[in-house]
Amino acid sequence: MAKNSNNYWAYGLIMIIFGLIVLLNRTGILKHVPYGGYLITTGSFFMIAGIVMLLTKSEKTNGIMLTTIGVILNADIFFGWIHSYSMLIMPIVLLLLGIVLIIRSK
């Protein structure tokens, strides 16, 4: 039972944060927040979900994976030199992760 309530807590917190970000974006308030435009990207949603899972769940694997995907999707923001390669990194990482998961399943 404790494990289930831990899941509800993490997922509920993620939904509240996503809802708040979307609400702030739709009302135009996010435009006035410094770097607020970066909060409404797919990569940011992955990072937020990963960070919440890292902070609230005892099993850290999903949190690490989601945070890593978020950082990769926002690679051009974090690492300016990688801007020209950022469109290729995500598909390559997904392919490699898929191959690793298939190999480990055998």
Side-chain angles (χ1 to χ4, degrees):
M1 183 76 166
K3 186 175 182 179
N4 235 358
S5 65
N6 192 18
N7 287 339
Y8 289 141
W9 170 253
Y11 298 140
L13 188 59
I14 290 168
M15 292 297 148
I16 289 171
I17 292 171
F18 288 171
L20 184 63
I21 290 171
V22 172
L23 180 67
L24 291 174
N25 184 47
R26 297 234 172 124
T27 57
I29 297 173
L30 204 57
K31 293 178 186 175
H32 304 293
V33 175
Y35 304 105
Y38 293 120
L39 287 176
I40 200 72
T41 64
T42 306
S44 296
F45 285 148
F46 275 107
M47 279 190 0
I48 292 168
I51 291 169
V52 168
M53 286 188 174
L54 283 173
L55 295 175
T56 59
K57 297 182 88 172
S58 59
E59 175 61 37
K60 305 295 185 194
T61 306
N62 290 339
I64 292 170
M65 190 168 54
L66 289 173
T67 305
T68 303
I69 290 171
V71 169
I72 291 169
L73 285 174
N74 288 326
D76 55 332
I77 297 170
F78 292 115
F79 314 107
W81 57 270
I82 207 163
H83 181 70
S84 59
Y85 300 110
S86 64
M87 297 199 51
L88 298 174
I89 289 176
M90 190 59 191
I92 292 171
V93 168
L94 287 174
L95 288 169
L96 292 174
L97 282 174
I99 291 169
V100 167
L101 289 173
I102 289 172
I103 290 172
R104 289 187 70 188
S105 71
K106 293 183 178 183

